[in-house]
Amino acid sequence: MATLVEKVNGVLALLFGQLGIPVWLAGLVLLLLAAAVLILLVFVARHQRYIERTNRELLLANRRLSLATSVAGVGVWEWEKETDQLLWNPVMFRLYGVPPERKLSIDALRAWILPDDWQRMKALFQSGVSSGRSELTFSIIRDDDGSMRHLHATCQWIHTGRRHRLLGTQVDITEEHTTRQQIYREAYQDALTGLPNSRALRMQLHAGLQQARQQGLLQGVFFIDLDGFKKINDTLGHDIGDLLLKGAAGRMRQVLRQSDHVYRLGGDEFVVWIAHLRQDEITVLETIAGKLIETLSQPFQFGEIECRVSASVGIATSPDDADELEALLKAADVAMYQAKKGGKNQFRRYRAEVAVEAQAGA
């Protein structure tokens, strides 16, 4: 032991003697350095154990989250903008009908998401700056069986340094969506023709009138009655009558513009709403009315049975003829009866003085 100490002192004297540093001071410095290294090693070891413990806890938490989301049917996904890395949990693969080994990317989603929904989804991916939570309902075509599913996504951007990650969840709402559609159809759709019914008319036209007032636009309403329908229904039966009503509804939809709306009130009565016209477009009403009369006067062929009807159309506008919903419908109804009285198979514009004379005569 003494010999080892003497050798160490000799080495120290050789190294530091030339610098004029006492041997004892040099030994103290080395001792302090050794202590510092030892403390650093202890710290690193403890830190490493802390990291390992944290990783185990994080892995356990992730497994619990994955189990919970899998049981709940919640798809969890993450996309890193800089690397275009898209990660899915097992539920996401099941939602899209995609095998787990499939390579994922944002462009790959285009094959499954419907085109209109893809544009909204793409805009969300391209933003990268939103700090709030975003929600999106969209439709997909599953990869495995080609069925359509409706999904609801919730996501939020997370910024960490130079990385931008979009984190979110997706759930399948197809059954809920189907139920809502069924409820809507029963409440607002005519079961025979598939057209919106009188309840839908009043709800949508009321909102349209309010919007038109704010924008200073005109609204046109047609009240349509099929001339000769009752005779066909009574003589040929309700089955032929139903086919005729469905055929008439289809023809009207074909000649109307995309922005126009047709409703069935009941029986052989229909209403057409021509929405949001400028003052210089008022002649469009008569053009559309003429097309409706022409298409409805063409014969309907059901097997060997040919049916012919015509149409009496009454036209009223808002705000010129009436500014409130019920008054506007009443004005169009009055004009329709004037068309019938004038010989049917024609349209009439509402005229207040004629309506007053008719009421006086009644």
Side-chain angles (χ1 to χ4, degrees):
M1 185 65 179
T3 303
L4 179 60
V5 172
E6 290 175 358
K7 289 182 178 181
V8 172
N9 288 335
V11 173
L12 293 176
L14 179 63
L15 292 175
F16 297 100
Q18 297 177 356
L19 300 176
I21 299 176
V23 174
W24 66 269
L25 180 58
L28 179 61
V29 170
L30 290 178
L31 182 61
L32 292 175
L33 288 174
V37 171
L38 180 61
I39 293 173
L40 180 60
L41 291 175
V42 172
F43 173 78
V44 169
R46 289 183 176 179
H47 185 64
Q48 183 64 31
R49 288 195 296 272
Y50 172 77
I51 292 176
E52 292 175 356
R53 184 172 65 254
T54 302
N55 287 338
R56 288 195 299 270
E57 293 175 353
L58 181 60
L59 179 61
L60 180 60
N62 287 338
R63 288 176 178 174
R64 289 172 177 170
L65 177 61
S66 178
L67 178 61
T69 54
S70 297
V71 172
V74 178
V76 180
W77 56 279
E78 175 184 341
W79 178 65
E80 187 174 270
K81 185 175 184 180
E82 286 71 22
T83 61
D84 191 26
Q85 184 179 22
L86 181 62
L87 301 176
W88 281 3
N89 77 335
V91 177
M92 289 290 295
F93 288 96
R94 293 200 297 270
L95 289 178
Y96 283 74
V98 175
E101 63 273 11
R102 184 75 168 267
K103 185 177 180 180
L104 299 175
S105 67
I106 295 303
D107 286 338
L109 294 176
R110 188 190 302 230
W112 305 314
I113 300 177
L114 296 190
D116 291 343
D117 293 335
W118 167 248
Q119 295 303 319
R120 296 186 295 132
M121 181 72 76
K122 184 179 179 182
L124 178 63
F125 285 128
Q126 291 178 341
S127 64
V129 295
S130 176
S131 58
R133 188 176 73 168
S134 300
E135 296 189 25
L136 185 66
T137 299
F138 59 99
S139 301
I140 67 169
I141 302 298
R142 282 174 53 94
D143 188 65
D144 55 356
D145 59 11
S147 63
M148 178 181 291
R149 308 299 292 179
H150 304 282
L151 306 180
H152 182 77
T154 301
C155 55
Q156 183 167 357
W157 282 100
I158 304 295
H159 308 287
T160 54
R162 296 182 180 180
R163 300 294 185 181
H164 300 76
R165 293 180 175 87
L166 191 60
L167 306 177
T169 61
Q170 292 185 23
V171 293
D172 191 332
I173 60 168
T174 302
E175 292 185 6
E176 177 185 347
H177 182 271
T178 303
T179 300
R180 285 201 306 265
Q181 284 189 321
Q182 180 64 29
I183 293 174
Y184 180 86
R185 283 195 295 268
E186 292 176 356
Y188 297 104
Q189 192 175 70
D190 176 56
L192 176 63
T193 62
L195 296 176
N197 60 18
S198 60
R199 184 180 291 128
L201 166 66
R202 282 168 169 78
M203 178 183 67
Q204 296 172 3
L205 184 55
H206 177 72
L209 290 173
Q210 288 184 326
Q211 184 179 0
R213 292 189 198 104
Q214 297 171 356
Q215 298 177 352
L217 298 174
L218 295 175
Q219 303 285 297
V221 170
F222 299 170
F223 207 107
I224 303 173
D225 186 85
L226 299 182
D227 307 318
F229 172 78
K230 185 178 185 303
K231 181 178 180 181
I232 292 175
N233 199 47
D234 291 343
T235 57
L236 298 179
H238 295 299
D239 290 342
I240 296 298
D242 289 347
L243 291 175
L244 179 56
L245 291 173
K246 289 191 286 187
R251 288 188 183 183
M252 285 189 280
R253 280 186 290 202
Q254 288 177 352
V255 301
L256 291 175
R257 303 170 306 172
Q258 188 173 3
S259 59
D260 302 331
H261 310 271
V262 57
Y263 306 83
R264 183 190 178 207
L265 297 190
D268 61 338
E269 293 182 333
F270 299 85
V271 167
V272 170
W273 170 30
I274 310 297
H276 307 330
L277 295 171
R278 300 189 306 271
Q279 288 289 345
D280 59 351
E281 294 179 317
I282 192 68
T283 56
V284 170
L285 296 175
E286 295 187 358
T287 301
I288 295 175
K291 289 182 178 180
L292 288 169
I293 291 172
E294 180 182 2
T295 190
L296 291 173
S297 64
Q298 299 299 316
F300 292 85
Q301 193 73 36
F302 307 115
E304 298 180 355
I305 299 177
E306 181 181 280
C307 303
R308 288 181 176 271
V309 294
S310 61
S312 296
V313 181
I315 304 174
T317 61
S318 172
D320 295 341
D321 299 327
D323 196 31
E324 298 298 329
L325 172 63
E326 295 301 332
L328 182 62
L329 292 174
K330 180 62 177 177
D333 188 29
V334 169
M336 184 271 293
Y337 276 105
Q338 291 300 314
K340 277 188 174 295
K341 187 177 180 180
K344 304 179 181 180
N345 197 34
Q346 60 183 299
F347 66 82
R348 288 289 178 88
R349 294 282 302 275
Y350 174 77
R351 293 171 54 194
E353 61 273 18
V354 174
V356 171
E357 292 175 1
Q359 289 179 351

